[in-house]
Amino acid sequence: MEILNPHDKFFKETFSIRENAIDFLSGTFPPEILKKLDLSTLTQDNSSYIDEELREHFSDIVYTCFCKEKEIRITLLFEHKSYALACPYLQLMKYLLKIWEANSKQAQRLIPVIPVILYHGKEAWKVRRFREYFEGIDEVFYRFIPEFEYLLTDISCYSNEEIKDRVFRRVSLQITMLLMRNIFDEKYLEDKLKGFFEIGIQYFEEDEGLKFLESAIRYLYYASDIAEKRVIDTLKEISEEGGKLSMTIAAKLIEKGKIAGRVEGRAEGRAEGAIEGERKGRIEGLKEAIEIGLELKYGVKGLKLLERIRKIVVIEKLEAIKEAVKIAKNMEEIEKLL
């Protein structure tokens, strides 16, 4: 399933790994519930309960497991939010209904569902009972209102140190939570980026670690305004493969136009729409894209052209150079444009 939101995509890629889901449950679930669940039986439910109406709202991560003392199956619904909802129950009920309808169609008994919301937005999330949203009604009508709860994990309630050292054990989950917790504080995240990724130095030597690293890099490129060059330089200091991977991903996304607009217009919003601010932002973005392309294609030799390229302030000329980097057979063809 295609997820348009980069936060949702990163969340799904991380929580689709069974061991990460177990680590999350072990670190955040209430003890009285956790002790009843046999996490060794945790299995991802690959059925999709999302229709077109719900596709943009749900990440569709569902696991099932058995209780320890009874042969009762429990469904765990993982949902991610990067912003606070006015009434989360409305979306959750649609999802619960889809799951129970599937139970019924398969002639199964209805399975209890525990909704789990992972939240990392800026606004405070206040948990309220569903009936509290029905203002001004008499208590005699409460029995006509569906009553269920969800478990909220607000990442902002944990410090970075708690995420690294106490709450979670798996490296990929630690890094995921650290990135998501700080993704809206660009300056802080940029300063701490190296420290966050250093947690995975050994992990990134494994195939699974490199696959996760690719997911994390794409998340940073899509969800933050941290310069691609800064991400590349940071990862180079930690992992040679990580540096190469970050350059390759950046080059592919620029080639496909996925981040070209963000790279070339990085300063547009900061300049509050000012024409000069937009122009300067586009120039800096083009130079950054050219630098990534030169280093990826020609290595250190390619960077020798940067001194002359950095002096260019004509957008059309920079665009021509960027295109030349993609199609040129050698550096001499690029030099002719300088």
Side-chain angles (χ1 to χ4, degrees):
M1 180 192 69
E2 182 182 0
I3 296 181
L4 303 178
N5 186 314
H7 306 291
D8 283 342
K9 181 174 177 59
F10 188 42
F11 165 80
K12 182 172 184 180
E13 289 171 345
T14 298
F15 278 77
S16 292
I17 299 174
R18 176 179 177 272
E19 290 75 16
N20 283 341
I22 292 175
D23 191 20
F24 179 84
L25 295 171
S26 300
T28 63
F29 253 40
E32 66 273 15
I33 297 178
L34 191 62
K35 70 180 182 181
K36 295 285 187 180
L37 302 179
D38 183 359
L39 295 184
S40 68
T41 65
L42 192 72
T43 305
Q44 185 173 0
D45 184 347
N46 292 318
S47 303
S48 177
Y49 300 103
I50 296 182
D51 55 22
E52 289 302 320
E53 181 184 358
L54 302 180
R55 191 169 297 279
E56 294 185 13
H57 300 291
F58 290 101
S59 303
D60 195 20
I61 297 288
V62 179
Y63 281 92
T64 62
C65 72
F66 285 94
C67 292
K68 288 182 177 178
E69 300 173 356
K70 299 180 179 180
E71 284 295 314
I72 298 177
R73 196 152 60 102
I74 303 292
T75 296
L76 300 165
L77 162 63
F78 288 89
E79 165 63 359
H80 152 268
K81 287 297 175 189
S82 57
Y83 57 91
L85 290 180
C87 183
Y89 293 98
L90 298 179
Q91 289 188 356
L92 290 175
M93 279 195 294
K94 291 179 181 179
Y95 213 150
L96 298 180
L97 183 59
K98 292 290 182 183
I99 294 175
W100 289 327
E101 284 178 343
N103 292 160
S104 180
K105 288 178 181 178
Q106 296 170 17
Q108 299 174 339
R109 63 183 179 184
L110 297 183
I111 301 173
V113 180
I114 302 177
V116 182
I117 295 180
L118 172 65
Y119 175 63
H120 67 108
K122 298 178 182 179
E123 305 86 6
W125 184 300
K126 182 181 178 181
V127 177
R128 301 164 60 188
R129 299 180 72 173
F130 188 35
R131 69 188 188 190
E132 292 179 36
Y133 291 89
F134 296 81
E135 298 179 0
I137 67 169
D138 193 283
E139 290 186 9
V140 71
F141 299 114
Y142 282 172
R143 59 180 175 156
F144 303 108
I145 299 173
E147 191 67 26
F148 68 95
E149 297 180 16
Y150 60 89
L151 297 179
L152 175 72
T153 296
D154 185 344
I155 304 178
S156 67
C157 294
Y158 300 103
S159 68
N160 292 330
E161 288 68 30
E162 287 176 321
I163 289 174
K164 289 189 295 183
D165 303 327
R166 184 180 66 82
V167 184
F168 307 113
R169 297 178 180 276
R170 283 181 56 83
V171 169
S172 54
L173 190 60
Q174 290 172 346
I175 296 175
T176 295
M177 295 296 102
L178 288 169
L179 294 180
M180 296 185 83
R181 181 187 185 278
N182 299 284
I183 195 67
F184 298 116
D185 189 345
E186 179 187 328
K187 182 64 170 62
Y188 181 84
L189 180 58
E190 187 171 349
D191 291 340
K192 298 294 183 179
L193 201 58
K194 182 179 178 182
F196 291 168
F197 277 109
E198 280 180 334
I199 300 172
I201 289 180
Q202 294 182 339
Y203 181 54
F204 298 150
E205 294 178 0
E206 306 171 10
D207 290 340
E208 180 186 306
L210 283 177
K211 185 177 180 180
F212 166 76
L213 183 58
E214 179 176 352
S215 176
I217 292 169
R218 289 181 184 275
Y219 178 57
L220 285 173
Y221 286 166
Y222 276 109
S224 81
D225 269 343
I226 298 176
E228 285 71 31
K229 188 65 169 61
R230 178 59 187 271
V231 175
I232 292 169
D233 289 342
T234 298
L235 288 173
K236 276 183 178 179
E237 296 181 42
I238 298 170
S239 163
E240 180 179 352
E241 287 300 317
K244 292 178 182 178
L245 187 61
S246 57
M247 282 196 296
T248 301
I249 294 171
K252 287 181 179 178
L253 294 179
I254 291 173
E255 172 77 21
K256 295 178 180 179
K258 298 294 186 181
I259 59 175
R262 184 173 77 85
V263 172
E264 296 172 11
R266 196 182 304 281
E268 180 180 356
R270 299 171 190 167
E272 297 181 349
I275 295 176
E276 182 61 18
E278 182 179 351
R279 188 184 73 85
K280 289 182 179 179
R282 193 172 182 198
I283 288 173
E284 290 305 311
L286 281 166
K287 290 178 180 178
E288 182 180 319
I290 292 169
E291 181 175 351
I292 293 172
L294 284 172
E295 185 172 3
L296 184 63
K297 195 168 185 177
Y298 300 108
V300 178
K301 291 182 180 179
L303 299 181
K304 293 179 180 179
L305 302 179
L306 288 181
E307 185 175 351
R308 281 184 283 172
I309 291 172
R310 285 170 179 156
K311 295 177 182 179
I312 300 173
V313 294
V314 179
I315 290 177
E316 290 76 11
K317 188 170 184 178
L318 288 169
E319 287 178 336
I321 295 171
K322 190 185 85 167
E323 289 303 309
V325 170
K326 291 191 291 185
I327 63 176
K329 297 179 182 179
N330 52 58
M331 282 178 54
E332 288 70 24
E333 294 183 13
I334 300 172
E335 286 186 275
K336 292 178 182 178
L337 300 174
L338 304 183

